[in-house]
Amino acid sequence: MGSISARVPDDLEEELQTFIDEERLDTSTAIRKLLSEGLDEWRTEQALERLERGEVTFSKAAELAGVDTWELARLARERDITWGGDDHLESDLDDL
């Protein structure tokens, strides 16, 4: 397992300590959990942006986000993203 070191502002450190206390985690576990959740959110946002720009098919966006197609459809609907273009339809059907 790799090691990461970072300096954080005092207010962020205090908020992290509150999270650690409330979740009853040790510092390393808490930071790994928050980092993982943040990267999951970032990956999903990137996939949705690429889908919206037409760079990837719907099924590829779901794969990039690490979610199933139903979850991606829900997320896309929440953000009012339309993905149903003719250029990707055949590829999406092949992927299903």
Side-chain angles (χ1 to χ4, degrees):
M1 186 177 301
S3 178
I4 298 174
S5 175
R7 294 181 186 274
V8 296
D10 292 339
D11 59 330
L12 188 58
E13 185 178 16
E14 289 173 17
E15 193 169 358
L16 176 60
Q17 189 58 52
T18 300
F19 176 78
I20 289 167
D21 294 343
E22 288 184 11
E23 295 294 317
R24 294 187 174 104
L25 299 170
D26 62 88
T27 302
S28 292
T29 302
I31 291 171
R32 280 193 304 272
K33 181 178 180 178
L34 291 170
L35 182 58
S36 178
E37 290 173 2
L39 287 173
D40 287 347
E41 184 177 324
W42 176 81
R43 191 173 34 255
T44 300
E45 290 299 322
Q46 292 296 307
L48 287 167
E49 288 175 13
R50 291 184 68 190
L51 176 65
E52 186 171 33
R53 291 191 302 261
E55 295 176 5
V56 295
T57 64
F58 182 80
S59 55
K60 181 64 176 180
E63 179 186 330
L64 292 171
V67 298
D68 63 35
T69 53
W70 293 106
E71 177 64 9
L72 188 71
R74 185 188 67 75
L75 294 168
R77 184 177 58 243
E78 284 178 359
R79 291 166 178 77
D80 199 26
I81 296 173
T82 304
W83 68 86
D86 291 338
D87 51 339
H88 292 298
L89 182 59
E90 189 172 322
S91 179
D92 276 337
L93 290 173
D94 288 343
D95 289 343
L96 293 175

